[in-house]
């Protein structure tokens, strides 16, 4: 948690929920330990989508479809979401949730490995939400930028790793050192690429907000 608990609780107190279905999905996901977007990051994601008004959204990491439904609730009516997931139980749950939300025409769920699927996409995408295997963000970045529209927005979630990102490599558990090093390199890359303007936001478990400048 990046924000202090009093601020977090105050943010929560101002929220009226995300609708009956989404609230149900969120409760079950959190009870079952399914990794979904942090509560305080939800309105940030929706506000970005509403502000950008994208024509096409790409999500890397569907989980049970919760964040895709949040984005669908804020995007223009003619926008479409393509979302990627490889874990079978999550795919099944997400498809059920999209059906219950009558969002199957708005959301296309691609099943399989993100790297293989990203290589086959053509885009362009105006908004990309990166929320899958954190150790792969750096590897996926060139593939994502290839299919992003000029002026497109990339939101990378959970980049601070419960605060461990500020530790040295030897200050984290040995099993976490590879992902720690890769995430630090990813954030350095985002902040130093001429094609990107990036801000690191201390919300939830940290978010990196990037704008793709190439072609503008």
């Amino acid at each position: 948690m990046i924000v202090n608990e009093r601020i977090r609780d105050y943010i929560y107190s101002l929220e009226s929920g995300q609708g009956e279905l989404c609230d149900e999905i969120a409760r079950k996901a959190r009870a079952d330990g399914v990794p979904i977007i942090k509560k305080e990051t939800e309105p940030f994601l929706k506000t970005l989508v509403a502000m950008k008004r994208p024509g096409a959204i790409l999500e890397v990491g569907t989980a049970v479809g919760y964040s895709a439904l949040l984005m669908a609730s804020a995007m223009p009516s003619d926008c479409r979401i393509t979302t990627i997931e490889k874990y079978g139980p999550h795919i099944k749950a997400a498809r059920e949730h999209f059906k219950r939300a009558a969002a199957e025409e708005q959301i296309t769920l691609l099943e399989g490995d993100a790297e293989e699927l990203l290589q086959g996409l053509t885009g362009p995408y105006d908004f990309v939400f990166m929320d899958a295997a954190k150790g792969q963000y750096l590897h996926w970045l060139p593939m994502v930028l290839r299919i992003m529209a000029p002026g497109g927005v990339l939101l990378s979630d959970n980049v601070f790793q419960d605060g461990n990102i500020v530790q040295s490599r030897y200050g984290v558990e040995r099993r976490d050192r590879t992902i720690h090093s890769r995430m630090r390199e990813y954030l350095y890359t985002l902040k130093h690429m001429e094609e990107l303007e990036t801000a690191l936001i201390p919300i939830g478990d940290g978010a990196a907000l990037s704008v793709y400048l190439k072609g503008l």
Side-chain angles (χ1 to χ4, degrees), residues 15-137:
E15 293 298 322
S16 57
Q18 303 296 346
E20 185 176 345
L21 175 59
C22 280
D23 289 348
E24 176 191 327
I25 294 170
R27 283 193 299 269
K28 187 175 189 310
R30 292 182 174 119
D32 293 343
V34 176
I36 62 171
I37 188 170
K38 301 283 188 184
K39 280 187 177 182
E40 57 270 33
T41 312
E42 294 172 4
F44 182 62
L45 173 63
K46 291 178 64 177
T47 300
L48 288 174
V49 171
M51 180 173 61
K52 178 61 180 173
R53 297 191 61 77
I57 295 174
L58 172 64
E59 178 183 51
V60 184
T62 314
V64 294
Y66 182 61
S67 52
L69 290 175
L70 292 182
M71 290 188 286
S73 71
M75 69 189 190
S77 59
D78 59 347
C79 181
R80 295 295 179 266
I81 298 174
T82 299
T83 183
I84 296 172
E85 179 61 51
K86 70 175 182 179
Y87 184 52
H90 287 173
I91 291 170
K92 181 179 179 181
R95 290 199 181 282
E96 179 183 340
H97 295 151
F98 297 156
K99 183 176 182 179
R100 290 179 61 190
E104 293 172 295
E105 291 188 3
Q106 295 173 297
I107 305 173
T108 299
L109 173 54
L110 302 181
E111 303 180 21
D113 181 75
E115 179 175 351
E116 295 178 3
L117 292 170
L118 286 171
Q119 290 175 344
L121 295 176
T122 57
Y125 294 97
D126 309 295
F127 191 97
V128 179
F129 183 43
M130 190 96 80
D131 190 24
K134 309 305 177 280
Q136 298 301 315
Y137 281 15

Side-chain angles (χ1 to χ4, degrees), residues 7 13-14 67 91 111 123 152 166:
I7 294 294
S13 74
L14 296 175
S67 52
I91 291 170
E111 303 180 21
V166 301

